[in-house]
Amino acid sequence: MLSVLFSGLRARWVTLAGSFLALALGVGTVAATGLALAATFDAPHRGPQRFAAAPVVVRGADRLEVPTPVGVRTRKLTSPRPVPPAVVTALARLGPTVEDRTFPVSVTAAARLDADGTGPVGRPGPVPDGTGRLDDSRPVPDGTGPVDHPRPVADGTGPVGHPWPVAAATPYRLTAGRAPAAPGEVVVTAGPGSGVRPGDRITVTTPRFTGPRTVVGTVRPAGFETAVFFTASEAARISPAVDAVVVHAPAAAVRTAVAAADRAAPATPDVTAPEATTAPLAVLTGDDRRRADPDPDRDAEALVSVNALLGTAAGITAFVSLLVVASTFSYAVAQRRREIGLLRTAGATPGQVRRTVYAEALLVGVLASAAGVRLGMSGAPRLAALMRDEGIAPGWFAIGERNWPLHTAFWTGLAVALLGSVLAARRAGKVAPVEALRESDVDSGTMPLSRVVLGAAVLLAGIALPLLALVRDPADLLARKTYVTQPMVLITGFALFAPVLVRPVTRLLLWLPSRLPTAVPLLTRENACAALRRTAAVAAPVLVTTAMAASLLGTTATLAGARAAEADRRSAADFVAVAGGGAVPAAFVDRARAVPGAVVSASRSTSLSVLEEGTALITSEARGVDPADAAAVSSLPLVAGDLADLDDGSVIVNEEWATHRMGARVTVWLGDGRRTTLRIAGVMRTGTGGNGVYVTPRNAGGARIDRVEVKVRAGADRSAVAARLAAAGEATGTTVTARSEALADEGRSSGRNTRVGLLMILLIALVHTGIALAAVQVMATAGRVRDLAVLRLAGATRAQVLRAVAAEALAVVAVGAVLGGAVAGLNLLGVRAALGRLGADAGIVVPWGTLGLVVAVNALVAVVAAVLPAALALRVRPAEHVGAGA
């Protein structure tokens, strides 16, 4: 049998090349995504940055710790607690201390002073942002002179303010000028070539004031923040709370002093007052000082979405590979029915035939997997670079040295090859010797009972699981893990039933064209319906890409539309104001409230945590609002209660909460870690998950105002209100936009990474299935050379035969697109039903542009891969092909 095997391999290398290419590309993709996935498991270790030169750092509690029967549950506080004054005093007795305060600022350039600092000279100098990026977006008054062209700071996280004495802990070093010595003087970070120098005049906006400041010195950017340094006294006026204390004393003595100060803290006389349940003050030394850096977990958190994306890409690739390879092997066996019949006539047993198919699959699997691993090693760095360029992965992301993804990809490819050959081997073992006498390849369209049972089970699961989720938890259908995997189940079910579905779909699509006075449509229909396995094998890649593109992009677009509509309905405001520094200045809020005809609602972003079932600590995003103001500019999707009834002892929750009964009391932890019990004064619909929680400012954990919504009163002059708000924004460094524009910006920023990631996954799948489609078409054309020769002998010209081949390729692509569209339609209907159950009514969004592009690419590949081999085959005299076939 080995000699027969190798002789068959030499004779059928074109057929096996299709399986080889499909599997090699799949393994290569799995290897590349696996290597990238392995690189996400460990973020790069960074030593202390913010306090790298500080011996000991004491900082306020920034974690919530809640004991449960199964251990302590921990969450980050949205509003870390400051260091108590008593502790600051106790630490000062141990040795020299420096108090650190961190607060948001925004900066615009005003004018440059001359050498003696008495007046403006020329155009203003650029304001540093740590990266050298500048923007001439709009004029802002400097408060002291003429309006010039400002240059707002453009930093990813926004600049922050600090007292100058703490700069030595980083350590920052002056590159020009001197330290600030009086109110009104600042030191800024400025990179090489930024053009900033002492004497520049800038306008600084902080939560307490907006006004001019003079740059008296510059320091090099530290890389992790853009800082503006004030004098210690001015920083204390801007932000009285102490965020951290640098202590020059032995760590043991510091810990003792902190513990003693905690024990000496007076007990709360009012037992009904909120109780603090936070981690103790942190005494940080050595490498632990990195916990005091800005967002110390940013590297690990930046990889969470990358990890999920690459895991999804690897899963989809493995699925596509298995489906395409199985279809390719099945068609390869169908092409060999006469050959296998001859083997059976020569005495080969069904077991020997099956072992031959397995041996071919093993050989192809080993060679293709090895080639795929090499391809993945070359593609992984390019994949990482693409993700960095698109902003999906952080700039430092790179492929590591781990080899286990390569082993995983190799053995996965081999397993896919063997699994994909199982059904083909079973079918090959059932070929009877009489098949050697067949003169035509006409498929009956019937399927074995095992395939019918398997296909019915998969289709039933693909339909029943969403229906069950609709009844039990509709929100589960909106989760990414669900809407990514759900199409795979239906695709598998439709692929299993393809031999039954192909014929009626083909006849339906070609019903009208076949009645035209030309023979090509009729010939196309009959050829496609006669060779069902060939049609199904070619349609399978189209089915996969069409279904995945329409399902994934359609679902994300539908959810984005539902979220946008939901956000639009929640707000009745006409204008929205935000600040680049993370907090809207109080000066802007005051000016906005003074605008005639304006109703102003200022809100704060915070969080609320609740312990569900005694073990799960669930944290929800929340907003702190003034009930009366918010009720005037908001239209919350309440199913019970009223926003105006919200007070300091109550909360408005949504139906996702385990306890959401009106009047019920819930124990919660606020954004600063305080524990309190609040009464439920209102319940909102679950919606798409954006309907968070609402509390009063007293329960917002000390969060600063970060959003201001303004509604124009009935009868007021909208244009006048807009002009006054714009002037207030210019004077305080606050951005004011129309509500529709603000919602659009938020929607684009929040969903960008998901959209780009899904497009990347679909591009990988499209390339994979495109190559597989081309390979299957080449196999199919190579197997029907005799049929093409018969057409030539029947009187068809070479051009007519090629047109018939192209028409059949287009028809088969259309069949695959229709089946893929049916899969996507079922998935999108499930998403629409889930949104309806959650009260987030929205229409289905079909990505027609992307879908059309996917189908067009498949059509182009299918036509080229079918016509070129056919054209080469037709160069030989038809009689020679017919004679060879006989």
Side-chain angles (χ1 to χ4, degrees):
M1 292 299 292
L2 286 178
S3 61
V4 174
L5 170 64
F6 286 110
S7 297
L9 290 176
R10 287 194 299 270
R12 291 179 290 98
W13 68 269
V14 174
T15 300
L16 294 176
S19 302
F20 177 90
L21 287 174
L23 186 59
L25 186 61
V27 171
T29 307
V30 171
T33 53
L35 288 170
L37 185 65
T40 67
F41 292 157
D42 297 310
H45 175 75
R46 300 182 188 272
Q49 295 177 298
R50 176 81 170 80
F51 294 99
V56 182
V57 178
V58 177
R59 66 173 315 212
D62 63 345
R63 291 175 299 155
L64 171 66
E65 294 184 350
V66 179
T68 72
V70 293
V72 176
R73 295 290 182 258
T74 304
R75 290 287 185 274
K76 291 177 63 174
L77 294 176
T78 54
S79 300
R81 298 174 71 85
V83 180
V87 175
V88 176
T89 301
L91 294 175
R93 301 191 190 102
L94 302 178
T97 60
V98 177
E99 299 173 7
D100 176 48
R101 295 171 168 86
T102 302
F103 47 90
V105 300
S106 60
V107 181
T108 53
R112 172 163 299 160
L113 300 182
D114 58 13
D116 63 3
T118 59
V121 175
R123 284 181 56 82
V127 176
D129 69 338
T131 61
R133 290 174 293 179
L134 301 174
D135 181 22
D136 288 325
S137 59
R138 56 184 172 81
V140 175
D142 66 4
T144 58
V147 175
D148 209 322
H149 297 284
R151 304 175 186 267
V153 174
D155 185 75
T157 57
V160 293
H162 295 299
W164 170 252
V166 82
T170 300
Y172 284 102
R173 294 289 181 266
L174 284 168
T175 56
R178 59 175 176 82
E185 297 180 343
V186 295
V187 169
V188 298
T189 53
S194 66
V196 177
R197 63 175 184 263
D200 285 351
R201 190 76 163 172
I202 62 176
T203 297
V204 176
T205 299
T206 74
R208 298 275 178 164
F209 69 85
T210 297
R213 292 294 183 270
T214 301
V215 175
V216 296
T218 60
V219 294
R220 291 188 180 278
F224 56 87
E225 68 177 5
T226 299
V228 177
F229 293 97
F230 300 78
T231 63
S233 58
E234 187 167 25
R237 286 195 298 272
I238 298 171
S239 180
V242 176
D243 298 308
V245 180
V246 176
V247 187
H248 294 266
V254 174
R255 291 191 177 91
T256 301
V258 169
D262 278 342
R263 289 193 300 270
T268 303
D270 183 2
V271 296
T272 64
E275 176 185 343
T277 312
T278 56
L281 294 174
V283 180
L284 309 176
T285 60
D287 195 61
D288 286 343
R289 291 170 298 172
R290 67 180 302 275
R291 282 181 50 193
D293 290 341
D295 197 8
D297 300 322
R298 64 188 183 279
D299 289 339
E301 292 172 353
L303 294 179
V304 171
S305 60
V306 180
N307 184 284
L309 172 65
L310 291 172
T312 301
I316 290 178
T317 300
F319 165 76
V320 172
S321 299
L322 178 59
L323 194 66
V324 171
V325 170
S327 177
T328 305
F329 269 108
S330 178
Y331 178 57
V333 169
Q335 281 189 314
R336 298 169 55 197
R337 279 180 298 186
R338 295 183 65 194
E339 174 192 332
I340 294 172
L342 287 171
L343 290 175
R344 295 282 285 116
T345 303
T349 66
Q352 287 176 318
V353 173
R354 284 194 295 268
R355 285 194 293 274
T356 300
V357 175
Y358 286 136
E360 290 180 358
L362 180 63
L363 181 61
V364 171
V366 169
L367 295 178
S369 297
V373 165
R374 186 67 188 87
L375 181 66
M377 293 173 63
S378 301
R382 293 176 174 82
L383 176 62
L386 175 64
M387 296 180 72
R388 291 194 301 268
D389 294 342
E390 293 296 330
I392 300 174
W396 46 260
F397 181 68
I399 303 300
E401 301 295 330
R402 301 189 182 189
N403 291 322
W404 65 261
L406 302 179
H407 293 283
T408 302
F410 178 87
W411 294 109
T412 298
L414 188 57
V416 165
L418 294 176
L419 288 173
S421 66
V422 169
L423 292 177
R426 286 174 56 85
R427 182 178 297 114
K430 294 179 179 180
V431 173
V434 73
E435 294 288 341
L437 303 178
R438 291 185 57 149
E439 290 296 330
S440 62
D441 293 329
V442 178
D443 298 320
S444 65
T446 60
M447 299 193 307
L449 180 61
S450 59
R451 182 163 180 166
V452 172
V453 172
L454 180 60
V458 173
L459 273 181
L460 185 62
I463 296 173
L465 289 177
L467 291 177
L468 184 62
L470 280 174
V471 175
R472 299 181 58 184
D473 184 10
D476 186 56
L477 289 177
L478 308 184
R480 184 166 62 176
K481 65 180 180 181
T482 301
Y483 68 70
V484 167
T485 57
Q486 180 63 32
M488 298 182 189
V489 182
L490 289 174
I491 289 172
T492 304
F494 272 69
L496 288 171
F497 274 107
V500 174
L501 297 173
V502 160
R503 180 169 289 166
V505 173
T506 303
R507 291 191 178 279
L508 177 64
L509 290 176
L510 296 178
W511 176 78
L512 183 60
S514 63
R515 280 157 174 73
L516 297 176
T518 175
V520 172
L522 180 61
L523 185 62
T524 298
R525 186 189 70 184
E526 296 307 317
N527 278 338
C529 292
L532 293 179
R533 289 192 177 93
R534 181 179 71 216
T535 304
V538 176
V542 184
L543 163 64
V544 173
T545 51
T546 304
M548 295 301 294
S551 296
L552 296 184
L553 295 182
T555 299
T556 54
T558 299
L559 291 178
R563 293 190 183 103
E566 195 174 58
D568 186 61
R569 287 193 296 267
R570 278 200 307 266
S571 176
D574 296 296
F575 303 98
V576 176
V578 296
V584 176
F588 173 81
V589 179
D590 293 338
R591 292 190 182 209
R593 293 189 188 279
V595 174
V599 180
V600 178
S601 174
S603 62
R604 302 157 171 81
S605 178
T606 183
S607 66
L608 230 61
S609 299
V610 62
L611 195 64
E612 293 187 356
E613 299 179 356
T615 57
L617 186 62
I618 307 299
T619 299
S620 302
E621 293 182 356
R623 296 209 68 84
V625 299
D626 180 89
D629 293 341
V633 301
S634 301
S635 181
L636 301 185
L638 291 165
V639 296
D642 193 320
L643 179 58
D645 295 335
L646 180 67
D647 55 31
D648 290 341
S650 62
V651 61
I652 291 178
V653 301
N654 57 62
E655 291 175 321
E656 277 189 307
W657 277 46
T659 301
H660 56 268
R661 187 180 70 257
M662 281 290 296
R665 303 190 69 81
V666 290
T667 299
V668 300
W669 286 265
L670 306 179
D672 59 359
R674 291 178 296 153
R675 187 178 70 181
T676 187
T677 299
L678 299 175
R679 171 182 50 83
I680 295 179
V683 180
M684 291 182 291
R685 289 194 298 266
T686 301
T688 61
N691 297 330
V693 180
Y694 286 81
V695 294
T696 60
R698 181 176 182 270
N699 294 323
R704 295 187 173 99
I705 294 172
D706 61 355
R707 185 182 183 88
V708 176
E709 295 179 284
V710 181
K711 180 180 179 180
V712 180
R713 295 184 188 275
D717 186 344
R718 179 187 174 93
S719 59
V721 171
R724 294 283 297 272
L725 289 175
E730 291 176 354
T732 58
T734 305
T735 302
V736 182
T737 59
R739 183 189 65 180
S740 58
E741 183 181 344
L743 292 177
D745 290 342
E746 292 169 3
R748 284 191 294 267
S749 61
S750 64
R752 180 186 179 278
N753 278 2
T754 298
R755 290 191 298 271
V756 173
L758 290 178
L759 285 173
M760 187 186 75
I761 292 174
L762 291 174
L763 178 62
I764 293 172
L766 184 60
V767 171
H768 185 185
T769 54
I771 292 178
L773 175 61
V776 174
Q777 278 286 50
V778 171
M779 291 166 52
T781 304
R784 58 183 302 201
V785 172
R786 187 169 179 270
D787 297 339
L788 301 180
V790 170
L791 284 176
R792 291 281 286 119
L793 292 175
T797 65
R798 188 169 181 269
Q800 287 175 323
V801 173
L802 293 179
R803 283 199 297 271
V805 170
E808 187 175 341
L810 289 175
V812 175
V813 169
V815 170
V818 168
L819 294 177
V823 171
L826 290 174
N827 281 287
L828 292 176
L829 285 174
V831 171
R832 174 64 183 84
L835 289 171
R837 285 289 312 279
L838 295 171
D841 294 334
I844 295 176
V845 180
V846 179
W848 292 113
T850 304
L851 197 57
L853 180 62
V854 168
V855 175
V857 169
N858 280 322
L860 178 63
V861 171
V863 169
V864 172
V867 170
L868 285 181
L872 293 175
L874 291 175
R875 295 173 63 182
V876 180
R877 293 177 57 194
E880 296 182 16
H881 285 307
V882 174

